[in-house]
Amino acid sequence: MEWVGALRYSLALLALLPIVNAAFYRIRPQSTGVLVNQTVTLYCAFNGLTPSEVVNWYWYNPETDDKLYHISARGRVASEFSRHSIVGSSRRGEYNLRIRDVQPGDEGNYRCSVFTVRDAGDARLTVVGIRVA
Ligand SMILES: *[C@@H]1O[C@H](CO)[C@@H](O)[C@H](O)[C@H]1NC(C)=O
């Protein structure tokens, strides 16, 4: 009877292997503030990415509209985001989002995610500027 238990245990371990090998966040983007016209970098990195796993950046501003914009896939940035770029070593799983010449309209929530990795965290970007009344 005992070997049945041992067999069950081994099978359970085998079933867990894909979970153990799955990619996970090494660095999650952190909420930050930036002065208008400055450059800001939101950091994001994963461990254990496989070649088929794509890191995406999204942006949405709940205060203006609820549209979720797709900024980038891997290192490729959508043309409408001309001030945005992906920096870092993709070999090391780094997909940092750099925004230069930050404008008030860049404010909102930024999400760095991989489809297969759960619990994507949102980082809030606050743009600080001199507001003309
Ligand atoms: C940002 O740049 C614009 C255009 O060059 C300028 O008018 C404005 O004063 C700048 N704002 C700040 C806070 O530097």
Side-chain angles (χ1 to χ4, degrees):
M1 208 61 193
E2 218 164 89
W3 66 269
V4 176
L7 183 64
R8 282 223 178 99
Y9 184 68
S10 309
L11 287 175
L13 278 183
L14 277 177
L16 279 174
L17 273 179
I19 298 168
V20 173
N21 288 340
F24 60 93
Y25 283 92
R26 183 166 79 248
I27 299 166
R28 279 175 189 274
Q30 301 285 307
S31 292
T32 187
V34 60
L35 279 169
V36 71
N37 299 346
Q38 298 297 302
T39 296
V40 68
T41 304
L42 296 169
Y43 294 90
C44 182
F46 291 86
N47 276 0
L49 283 178
T50 63
S52 65
E53 287 173 311
V54 178
V55 177
N56 295 287
W57 276 97
Y58 299 93
W59 170 72
Y60 68 100
N61 188 344
E63 274 133 47
T64 53
D65 58 41
D66 275 336
K67 191 169 179 233
L68 187 68
Y69 294 86
H70 192 183
I71 300 172
S72 64
R74 288 204 171 93
R76 192 166 301 181
V77 179
S79 57
E80 62 191 292
F81 294 93
S82 58
R83 292 173 289 105
H84 300 52
S85 56
I86 302 299
V87 298
S89 162
S90 58
R91 195 176 47 82
R92 299 191 60 229
E94 296 166 2
Y95 291 85
N96 308 320
L97 177 66
R98 178 162 295 168
I99 311 171
R100 62 174 178 81
D101 195 19
V102 167
Q103 298 303 302
D106 293 331
E107 226 172 53
N109 296 326
Y110 288 79
R111 178 183 297 164
C112 167
S113 66
V114 170
F115 184 67
T116 48
V117 180
R118 293 168 53 155
D119 300 325
D122 285 0
R124 171 120 196 121
L125 183 68
T126 306
V127 179
V128 182
I130 298 140
R131 275 163 222 252
V132 183

